[in-house]
Amino acid sequence: REHVKEKARLRLRAFDVGAKFSRLPLAKASVLLPLLVRGGRLHLLLTVRSLQLRRSPGEVCFPGGKSEAIDKDEIDTALREAKEEVGLEPEKVEVICRLVPGIDKMNHLVTPVVGFIEDTFQATPNPDEVSDVFVMPLEYFVEPVTYKPLPYKTSSGYSSWMHCFTYDDPEHKMSFKIWGLTAHFAVFLALVIFGKRPTFEVDYDLDNLISSSENNFMNLYASLYERKKSNL
């Protein structure tokens, strides 16, 4: 188990962006990508948003949310939100790195924070925010059973493809659909850790994953900035 973790740690640290994108003038949010080892394989913990929520009810996502004044940085935000949503104590997370951010539908700058948690962690979902919690193999995000790309356009007119996975969870006897920014972060995490080509198309130069991912993000940000300027 330690060998699997150590290999992942080394790969992830090479991709740590730290506070590199923190100064961009967008509202901030963070998500925690909780990794755990089960049966000698890396798994990811994901949540299903409560059906009572106004925004994206019933959708699969990572624990996370908007930054608050009390948060020191993006890591603080991710850990605080994970505690509020699934009862994960911050000291039970071994934070490894921050990866290249994304921009959500509300134009928040969303930073993915990667951390290891114990495989024995028992989530206690906050019913106001989370209806379900499940765990799936990280490898599914490079070698999925059910996958389809969805074409989409961002609010700034930037055209791209959105990953969409369907995962049949043997534990819950349920199917979960993982798409949008959640799928985008999960795919990137899997590419970083496994360093192998996925069975589907991705818009990265896989031989230069660090620079390619940062360039993709800056192009997305630039398209958003241009739209803001043209609206003034």
Side-chain angles (χ1 to χ4, degrees), residues 190-201:
L191 291 175
V192 167
I193 289 178
F194 298 123
K196 63 180 178 184
R197 294 191 173 270
T199 57
F200 50 90
E201 289 294 312

Side-chain angles (χ1 to χ4, degrees), residues 12-22 74 96-102 109-113 188 209-211 213-214 217:
L12 286 162
R13 284 186 183 130
F15 283 79
D16 188 4
V17 299
K20 187 173 182 175
F21 299 99
S22 304
E74 295 94 345
I96 309 295
C97 67
R98 284 173 269 190
L99 296 177
V100 174
L109 180 77
V110 185
T111 300
V113 176
F188 187 65
L209 191 51
I210 292 180
S211 57
S213 59
E214 293 192 3
F217 169 72

